[in-house]
C-alpha cells in the first residue's frame, strides 16, 4: 500500500535526521469529558492517508465510527474525510462500495460496518475495508462482544485497520497508567490513575495519601509496579489491576526507587539509596532474592531492560554529569553510550529492541529523544520548557511523555518516531509519569474472520 511506503520513507528520513473495587471514577470536568486535541503533521514529509469512515449501522454504530475516526486520526497517518462529502450512503456488509463515487472524493480507503444484536445478548461488530482505486477488499473481520464493550471493539478495529494499512502493529487497544495531579504547587495531591489510550474512562487507583512515582506495566497488562512515599516510608508496590491486590516488595536498608519489570515479568529492577550512594538492584519475584548490579560511587538509577532481557540501560552521574550506560543483566560490561552534551535521564528501551528513549536537559530546555542502543544516531523528537519520562507504545513507533509549560500545568503528550506527529494525549487532565500498557488481552472480545477472503495484495 502507498501508506506503507510513506511510513518507510518518513522513518528513513527521521533516522537520518472489571476494575479495582476501591477504584474511584473521576468526576465531572476536563478529565471526564470527551477529549479533543490537535495533531500536528509536517506535510512536507508525510501527507496523511485519506480514509472515508462511514457511520456503522446498528446500536452504538455512529459511536463506534467516531472512536475509529479519533484513533486513526490521532496516529497522524490518517485523515478522515468529512461524511458530508460522501456521495454513496447506506453501505452494508453484503455489498462492495461503488468505487468511482469514493475515488471522486479522494478516498484512498473506505471503511464501513454494522453492529448486529445476537440472541445471547451480545453484538456482532462486522466491518470491511476497501481500496477504491484498486477496487478490492483489504480486510474484513467480525468481533463479538457485549454491548458495554463497544469502545474496546472500536479500538480493536482501529488496530486491524492500522496494521493492514501500515504494516505496523496497532496500539489503540491499550491503557495508560500515570500520576494524576491536582492542587497547588505547595499543596499538590498525586494519585495513581489509569485511562484508555484515547483519554476515556480515567479512574483513580489510590486515594492521595501517598506521593506516587514511576508507575510501570509488566508484560501482563493487569500487573503494574510503582513507588509510593508515605509520611515515614518509601515502598515499591506490585499491583494487580483486576483484583486490586497490592503487595510491597519488602523493606530495604535504604530508600528504593524507579522500579521496572523485566520483559517476562519475573524480575523487577530498581535503585536503592544507601549511605549517600545509589545503585541498581534486581529482585527475582519468585525467590525474592535481591542482587546488586552496580557499585560505583555515583548515582545509578532508572534501569530499563532490553526486550531480550540480556541488557539493562540506566543513567549514572559517575562521570560528573548524568549520562546513559548499558550493562549486562548480571551487572557486567558497564559502558557509557550517550555522547552529546547536557544531562541524560529516564532511559526506556524500545519494545523493538533497536532504540532507547531518554530525557535530555541542555541549554535551559528539556527534550525527549532517541538513540541507538550503542548511542549512535541520537536525535530529538520533542523539545520544550520542561518534559520528561518517555514511555513506548507497544508497537515501538510512538512515545508518551509529560510536558509542563512555564508557570502552567503538566499534561501527557505523544510523539511519533519521526518527531513530526505530536499531540497532547487524549487525556486532557493534569498528569505526569505515563506508562503505556501492552496490548490488552482479547477477552471478553471474540475475534473471527468473516465476509469472504481479502482480494487486495499486500
Amino acid at each position: 500500500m502507498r501508506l506503507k511506503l510513506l511510513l518507510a520513507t518518513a522513518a528513513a528520513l527521521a533516522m537520518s535526521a472489571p476494575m479495582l473495587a476501591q477504584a474511584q471514577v473521576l468526576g465531572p470536568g476536563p478529565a471526564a469529558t470527551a477529549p479533543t486535541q490537535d495533531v500536528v503533521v509536517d506535510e512536507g514529509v508525510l501527507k496523511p492517508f485519506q480514509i472515508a469512515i462511514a457511520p456503522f449501522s446498528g446500536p452504538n454504530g455512529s459511536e463506534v465510527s467516531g472512536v475509529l475516526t479519533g484513533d486513526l486520526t490521532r496516529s497522524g497517518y490518517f485523515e478522515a474525510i468529512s461524511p458530508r462529502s460522501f456521495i454513496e450512503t447506506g453501505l452494508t456488509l453484503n455489498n462492495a462500495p461503488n468505487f468511482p463515487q469514493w475515488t471522486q472524493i479522494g478516498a484512498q480507503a473506505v471503511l464501513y460496518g454494522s453492529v448486529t444484536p445476537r440472541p445471547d445478548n451480545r453484538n456482532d461488530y462486522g466491518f470491511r475495508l476497501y481500496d477504491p482505486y484498486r477496487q478490492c477488499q483489504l480486510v474484513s473481520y467480525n468481533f463479538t462482544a457485549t454491548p458495554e464493550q463497544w469502545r474496546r471493539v472500536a479500538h480493536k478495529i482501529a488496530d486491524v485497520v492500522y496494521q493492514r494499512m501500515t504494516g505496523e502493529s496497532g496500539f489503540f487497544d491499550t491503557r495508560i497508567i500515570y500520576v494524576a495531579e491536582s492542587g497547588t504547587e505547595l499543596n499538590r495531591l498525586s494519585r495513581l490513575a489509569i485511562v484508555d489510550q484515547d483519554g476515556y474512562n480515567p479512574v483513580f487507583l489510590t486515594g492521595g495519601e501517598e506521593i506516587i512515582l514511576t508507575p510501570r506495566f509488566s508484560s501482563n497488562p493487569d500487573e503494574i509496579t510503582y513507588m509510593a512515599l508515605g509520611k515515614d516510608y518509601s515502598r515499591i508496590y506490585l499491583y494487580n489491576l483486576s483484583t486490586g491486590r497490592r503487595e510491597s516488595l519488602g523493606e530495604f536498608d535504604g530508600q528504593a526507587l524507579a522500579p521496572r519489570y523485566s520483559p517476562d515479568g519475573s524480575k523487577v529492577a530498581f535503585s536503592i539509596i544507601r549511605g549517600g550512594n545509589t545503585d541498581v538492584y534486581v529482585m527475582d519475584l519468585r525467590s525474592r532474592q535481591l542482587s546488586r548490579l552496580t557499585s560505583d560511587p555515583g548515582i545509578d538509577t532508572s534501569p530499563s531492560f532490553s526486550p531480550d532481557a540480556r541488557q539493562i540501560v540506566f543513567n549514572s552521574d559517575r562521570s560528573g554529569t548524568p549520562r546513559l550506560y548499558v550493562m549486562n543483566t548480571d551487572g557486567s560490561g558497564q559502558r557509557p553510550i550517550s555522547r552529546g552534551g547536557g544531562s541524560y535521564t529516564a532511559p526506556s528501551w524500545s519494545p523493538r529492541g533497536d532504540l532507547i528513549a531518554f530525557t535530555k536537559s541542555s541549554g535551559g530546555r528539556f527534550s525527549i529523544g532517541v538513540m541507538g542502543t550503542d548511542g549512535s544516531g541520537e536525535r530529538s523528537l520533542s523539545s520544550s520548557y520542561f518534559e520528561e519520562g518517555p514511555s513506548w507504545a507497544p508497537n515501538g513507533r510512538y512515545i508518551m511523555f509529560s510536558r509542563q509549560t512555564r508557570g502552567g500545568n503538566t499534561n501527557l503528550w505523544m510523539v511519533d518516531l519521526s518527531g513530526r506527529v505530536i499531540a497532547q494525549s487524549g487525556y486532557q487532565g493534569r498528569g505526569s509519569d505515563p506508562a503505556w500498557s501492552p496490548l490488552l488481552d482479547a477477552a471478553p472480545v471474540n475475534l473471527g474472520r468473516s465476509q469472504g477472503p481479502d482480494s487486495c495484495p499486500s
Side-chain angles (χ1 to χ4, degrees), residues 314-386:
F314 64 102
N315 71 265
S316 174
D317 67 353
R318 61 183 65 180
S319 66
T321 302
R323 301 175 65 186
L324 301 189
Y325 288 73
V326 167
M327 62 181 167
N328 300 323
T329 48
D330 62 359
S332 64
Q334 297 179 26
R335 58 199 182 278
I337 60 169
S338 56
R339 301 165 184 169
S343 299
Y344 296 80
T345 58
S348 179
W349 213 303
S350 166
R352 295 173 179 239
D354 58 339
L355 295 172
I356 292 170
F358 56 86
T359 301
K360 184 177 181 178
S361 60
S362 178
R365 290 177 67 84
F366 286 76
S367 61
I368 300 299
V370 293
M371 64 174 66
T373 59
D374 60 355
S376 62
E378 177 182 333
R379 53 195 170 89
S380 175
L381 303 180
S382 171
S383 180
S384 66
Y385 166 71
F386 182 79

Side-chain angles (χ1 to χ4, degrees), residues 3 5 30 83 95 113 155 168 175 177 219 280 286 307 377 382 402 436:
L3 183 54
L5 293 176
N95 298 295
H155 293 319
E168 306 278 350
R175 297 188 290 180
I177 197 86
S219 55
V280 175
R286 298 184 183 92
S382 171
S402 58
W436 218 314

Side-chain angles (χ1 to χ4, degrees), residues 42-225:
D42 184 342
E43 294 193 8
V45 175
L46 176 65
K47 181 176 176 60
F49 200 78
Q50 302 298 297
I51 185 169
I53 304 174
F56 280 37
S57 63
N60 290 117
S62 60
E63 288 90 346
V64 170
S65 303
V67 171
L68 279 166
T69 300
D71 281 349
L72 295 174
T73 301
R74 192 166 46 257
S75 76
Y77 295 112
F78 297 86
E79 183 176 6
I81 298 173
S82 171
R84 292 190 297 271
S85 67
F86 293 177
I87 301 171
E88 182 179 25
T89 60
L91 288 166
T92 70
L93 292 178
N94 295 325
N95 298 295
N98 185 323
F99 297 117
Q101 294 189 5
W102 294 99
T103 57
Q104 183 176 336
I105 63 172
Q108 296 170 286
V110 182
L111 173 64
Y112 60 98
S114 66
V115 182
T116 307
R118 292 162 51 103
D120 61 3
N121 295 320
R122 296 185 297 167
N123 289 336
D124 282 332
Y125 300 80
F127 75 94
R128 289 180 182 266
L129 180 69
Y130 276 89
D131 181 332
Y133 286 91
R134 294 191 291 170
Q135 301 189 5
C136 55
Q137 179 175 282
L138 291 162
V139 68
S140 173
Y141 273 86
N142 184 77
F143 292 90
T144 301
T146 65
E148 295 76 18
Q149 292 289 324
W150 68 268
R151 291 193 64 87
R152 280 210 54 202
V153 172
H155 293 319
K156 286 189 172 296
I157 294 173
D159 282 333
V160 173
V161 172
Y162 182 91
Q163 182 167 4
R164 182 63 178 87
M165 300 297 289
T166 70
E168 306 278 350
S169 297
F171 62 96
F172 303 111
D173 189 26
T174 57
R175 297 188 290 180
I176 307 296
I177 197 86
Y178 64 102
V179 178
E181 300 179 352
S182 58
T184 65
E185 189 71 29
L186 297 178
N187 186 25
R188 178 171 295 177
L189 185 67
S190 71
R191 285 176 281 189
L192 182 67
I194 193 168
V195 66
D196 294 350
Q197 60 79 26
D198 62 348
Y200 283 81
N201 302 319
V203 174
F204 289 134
L205 303 177
T206 62
E209 299 83 4
E210 303 167 311
I211 296 173
I212 305 300
L213 299 167
T214 60
R216 297 291 184 266
F217 275 97
S218 171
S219 55
N220 178 346
D222 274 339
E223 299 284 347
I224 64 168
T225 183

